[in-house]
Amino acid sequence: MSATPAPASAGSAPAPVNPRSRVLVASLIGTTIEFYDFYIYATAAVLVFPALFFPSDDPTTALLSSFAVFGAAMVARPIGAMVFGHLGDRLGRKGTLVASLLTMGIATFLIGVLPTYAQAGWVATALLVVMRLAQGFALGGEWSGAALIATENAPKGKRALFGTFPQLGAPLGFIIGNGLFLIIGALLPSAAGADPSQPSEAFLDWGWRIPFLFSAVMVAIGLWVRMRLVEAPVFTRTREAGLVRKLPLATVFRGHWKQLVLGTFFMLATYVLFYLMTTFSLSFGRTPTDAAVPGLGYGYTTFVLMLIFGVLFFAVFTLVSGPLADRYGRRRTLIAVTAGIIVFGLVWAPLVGLGTVGVVLWLVLGFALMGMTFGPMGALLPELFPTSVRYTGSGISYNVSSILGAAVAPFIAVALWEAGDGSPWLVGVYLSVMGLLTLVALLLGKETKDVALDEAEAPEADGRTGEAAPAASSASTTV
């Protein structure tokens, strides 16, 4: 499948453009790997890493050490967003996306071949930390690049729809990652049965490595697709006009700080809901009802299958959100969905108190709202920034929000769960408060549906690599 020529003016050679199918696959594959890596590491951090890399006489200390390394990637992500954003805005989207995917793939594969603490002592733990930091660094540049590939190549009036394809990586990564652990648990059962939460010796010896090694296959496919891309005409025109910034990071903080702040809070409720419906819900759902801090008491396999069922609604409503955001606008759509998230947080405890039917309804509603709020972000965040700083600006907003929303959510949610004596009502209130902050940001922001991504931005005295002085951009005045 070769690149399709774009219409050209008389006397000029037609510029190649990316076929729509290649754009969609290229934007989807990277984020699928991103979330796949997130889920398999999160699962391994609970099931096997405490014993294999953080041995301790106190199981709680080992688990907390494992989670600390898991959280380290959140700190590395904004750094990756700045570095890859600089490269993406200076050199182009294609090469930067290939570099971020390759970095992520190598780090994930190497986790699968690391020696354990019993084999190499503290060196094994240090190597795991380094690989996890490399994952976070690479992921910092992955999402924004994938979102730009989708939106900058989207046909008129369909940017939000195209922007949902990078977002589909979240539910697909969840299903693939958790499904693979369930399959391995069934093939390598322990005396307790096919339950990965009680791993067999074979699972501890080598079975846990399979999901990490399998990521190499997905990365190879992603690299093959992305290497066949050409630069979007939007970026090409910006470069030819001499509008590429020497220091995109400085430019975005100096001239677009309002967009950075608003974009960060646009994503806040999305990240909190995402963490609560995936990682926290797994702990809450599996904790016995007679524990010191009681949970729902489901078995690991049963609850993961319930989660996968809920995630199907996540995928469906992610796609549904695109056409709605294209028709009614990103802001109007997200205001309605965020109001729904606020209400959902307040009815969380009553829902799970209704038994299995209520728990399933809770999962379906939560994941449906997750799809509706996550989907439009693929278009909204890139639309906040002009072409010359779009990679940097959207990446920083997305990844700083991950610190405010996802990195601190584990500690807050668990503390509130304990404070409620096992009832999740305070956790639901926490979600509603975060939703309220996002709602305020959306009310302060402006609609970006009709922003022209390829319109040149206003000139400044410094920071240019060229001398052109085009008209002001609507993208730089959206807020």
Side-chain angles (χ1 to χ4, degrees), residues 326-420:
D326 277 328
R327 179 173 181 179
Y328 299 108
R330 291 78 162 114
R331 183 172 175 268
R332 184 184 299 179
T333 300
L334 286 170
I335 285 174
V337 175
T338 305
I341 292 173
I342 294 172
V343 174
F344 174 70
L346 298 178
V347 301
W348 188 332
L351 280 175
V352 299
L354 297 176
T356 299
V357 173
V359 172
V360 171
L361 182 59
W362 164 61
L363 291 173
V364 168
L365 288 175
F367 280 116
L369 287 168
M370 183 64 213
M372 289 295 293
T373 185
F374 194 48
M377 294 296 174
L380 174 59
L381 295 187
E383 288 169 349
L384 291 175
F385 303 93
T387 304
S388 61
V389 295
R390 185 170 295 132
Y391 206 129
T392 303
S394 61
I396 291 175
S397 294
Y398 183 83
N399 288 289
V400 170
S401 190
S402 76
I403 295 178
L404 299 179
V408 301
F411 306 100
I412 295 174
V414 170
L416 293 176
W417 180 23
E418 293 177 348

Side-chain angles (χ1 to χ4, degrees), residues 430-447:
Y430 165 54
L431 173 61
S432 296
V433 172
M434 296 301 102
L436 185 60
L437 292 176
T438 291
L439 183 61
V440 171
L442 288 167
L443 293 173
L444 291 174
K446 294 183 180 180
E447 181 56 57

Side-chain angles (χ1 to χ4, degrees), residues 38-426:
F38 172 88
Y39 291 124
I40 63 172
Y41 191 98
T43 302
V46 174
L47 301 183
V48 296
F49 284 174
L52 296 179
F53 291 96
F54 308 96
S56 172
D57 294 334
D58 183 2
T60 301
T61 300
L63 181 61
L64 289 175
S65 299
S66 182
F67 274 135
V69 176
F70 173 73
M74 297 296 183
V75 178
R77 283 178 67 167
I79 300 173
M82 295 177 190
V83 173
F84 285 109
H86 175 86
L87 296 175
D89 285 329
R90 286 276 294 152
L91 305 178
R93 288 44 166 140
K94 174 185 173 180
T96 305
L97 269 174
V98 169
S100 66
L101 183 60
L102 190 59
T103 303
M104 177 170 54
I106 291 173
T108 303
F109 182 85
L110 289 178
I111 290 175
V113 298
L114 287 180
T116 64
Y117 186 90
Q119 296 167 325
W122 66 267
V123 174
T125 303
L127 288 174
L128 180 64
V129 173
V130 171
M131 292 303 103
R132 184 59 183 159
L133 289 173
Q135 279 187 322
F137 178 79
L139 298 183
E142 170 58 39
W143 177 86
S144 50
L148 264 58
I149 285 292
T151 54
E152 290 185 342
N153 287 279
K156 183 178 180 180
K158 293 186 178 180
R159 274 206 308 255
L161 174 60
F162 271 54
T164 61
F165 278 80
Q167 314 302 72
L168 273 177
L172 291 180
F174 184 95
I175 292 170
I176 296 170
N178 283 279
L180 189 54
F181 266 107
L182 287 178
I183 292 172
I184 296 170
L187 295 176
L188 302 174
S190 66
D195 184 352
S197 66
Q198 302 181 44
S200 63
E201 287 300 318
F203 191 97
L204 284 171
D205 287 343
W206 56 271
W208 69 270
R209 300 180 184 272
I210 295 174
F212 293 92
L213 301 178
F214 177 71
S215 69
V217 176
M218 301 172 66
V219 170
I221 297 172
L223 288 174
W224 178 75
V225 174
R226 287 184 171 179
M227 289 295 290
R228 303 177 72 206
L229 291 170
V230 296
E231 287 293 353
V234 169
F235 179 79
T236 301
R237 284 192 290 270
T238 297
R239 181 166 53 192
E240 291 174 349
L243 300 178
V244 173
R245 303 283 186 164
K246 291 180 180 178
L247 295 173
L249 180 62
T251 301
V252 80
F253 275 106
R254 182 176 65 245
H256 307 282
W257 63 269
K258 289 183 180 179
Q259 288 93 326
L260 284 175
V261 173
L262 286 176
T264 298
F265 281 93
F266 287 167
M267 277 293 301
L268 184 61
T270 303
Y271 262 119
V272 173
L273 179 62
F274 175 72
Y275 168 77
L276 294 180
M277 295 308 301
T278 54
T279 309
F280 174 76
S281 69
L282 186 58
S283 298
F284 176 59
R286 292 175 51 230
T287 301
T289 56
D290 58 354
V293 181
L296 297 177
Y298 291 95
Y300 177 89
T301 300
T302 299
F303 197 75
V304 167
L305 290 174
M306 293 169 68
L307 280 175
I308 290 175
F309 176 73
V311 168
L312 294 176
F313 289 85
F314 183 1
V316 169
F317 280 90
T318 296
L319 286 176
V320 167
S321 70
L324 291 176
D326 277 328
R327 179 173 181 179
Y328 299 108
R330 291 78 162 114
R331 183 172 175 268
R332 184 184 299 179
T333 300
L334 286 170
I335 285 174
V337 175
T338 305
I341 292 173
I342 294 172
V343 174
F344 174 70
L346 298 178
V347 301
W348 188 332
L351 280 175
V352 299
L354 297 176
T356 299
V357 173
V359 172
V360 171
L361 182 59
W362 164 61
L363 291 173
V364 168
L365 288 175
F367 280 116
L369 287 168
M370 183 64 213
M372 289 295 293
T373 185
F374 194 48
M377 294 296 174
L380 174 59
L381 295 187
E383 288 169 349
L384 291 175
F385 303 93
T387 304
S388 61
V389 295
R390 185 170 295 132
Y391 206 129
T392 303
S394 61
I396 291 175
S397 294
Y398 183 83
N399 288 289
V400 170
S401 190
S402 76
I403 295 178
L404 299 179
V408 301
F411 306 100
I412 295 174
V414 170
L416 293 176
W417 180 23
E418 293 177 348
D421 296 325
S423 171
W425 75 274
L426 286 174

